[in-house]
């Protein structure tokens, strides 16, 4: 790959690895008086945990689905949606403690559903990686 293209794409690729909490923290107004409060610092400390969980999910989820022959797909989607919801709630709480507006429950739910839908839509890519391993009962074309 051309190094210039790799450098140009790096921010987009790396943000995929960041949790919602980290992206929210990066967008906070550092000039706001609440940004320097103890409540903001305590809420911001959770971002590391969410980043580590997101990276772990990105590695473990596809492996679990492929190794299970697709039977763990519903559990993987549900687990990832649950962890995404916690990340988004914590990000909103942090935003509120740090001087931002936070997100409504509807906005959080919309983000979680959108993320889960993306996971379901990109699931067929697994069939290209491991043809024949995923059962057709999950909406994947059978390659057997």
């Amino acid at each position: 790959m051309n190094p210039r293209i790799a450098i140009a794409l790096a921010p987009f690729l790396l943000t995929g690895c960041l949790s919602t909490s980290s992206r929210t923290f990066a967008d906070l107004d550092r000039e706001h008086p609440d940004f320097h409060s103890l409540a903001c610092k305590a809420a911001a400390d959770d971002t590391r945990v969410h980043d580590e969980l997101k990276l772990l999910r990105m590695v473990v989820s596809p492996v679990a689905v492929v190794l299970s022959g697709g039977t763990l797909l519903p559990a993987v989607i549900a687990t990832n949606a649950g962890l995404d919801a916690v990340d988004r709630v914590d990000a909103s709480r942090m935003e509120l403690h740090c001087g931002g507006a936070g997100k409504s429950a509807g906005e959080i739910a919309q983000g979680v559903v959108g993320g889960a839908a993306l996971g379901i839509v990109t699931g067929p890519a697994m069939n290209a990686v491991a043809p024949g391993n995923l059962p057709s009962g999950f909406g994947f074309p059978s390659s057997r």
Side-chain angles (χ1 to χ4, degrees):
M1 176 182 274
N2 183 328
R4 290 182 189 168
I5 294 172
I7 291 170
L9 291 176
F12 300 105
L13 298 174
L14 293 176
T15 57
C17 297
L18 294 177
S19 65
T20 301
S21 295
S22 283
R23 288 192 310 270
T24 299
F25 183 77
D27 292 339
L28 291 173
D29 177 7
R30 277 133 175 78
E31 302 301 319
H32 195 284
D34 289 343
F35 181 80
H36 303 285
S37 70
L38 291 176
C40 179
K41 181 184 177 338
D45 286 342
D46 290 340
T47 60
R48 186 183 78 250
V49 171
H50 289 296
D51 284 340
E52 291 171 0
L53 283 172
K54 180 147 187 197
L55 182 59
L56 185 65
R57 291 181 339 187
M58 290 173 62
V59 173
V60 172
S61 294
V63 171
V65 171
V66 170
L67 291 179
S68 73
T71 59
L72 288 179
L73 182 62
V76 167
I77 291 171
T79 300
N80 284 333
L83 291 170
D84 187 32
V86 171
D87 180 23
R88 289 175 187 274
V89 167
D90 284 352
S92 181
R93 182 177 52 88
M94 175 182 52
E95 190 175 6
L96 287 170
H97 287 304
C98 298
K103 301 283 185 260
S104 69
E107 290 171 314
I108 292 170
Q110 185 178 8
V112 171
V113 169
L118 181 63
I120 292 169
V121 169
T122 58
M126 291 287 240
N127 201 32
V129 174
N133 287 341
L134 299 177
S136 59
F138 290 104
F140 299 105
S142 178
S143 58
R144 294 175 202 203

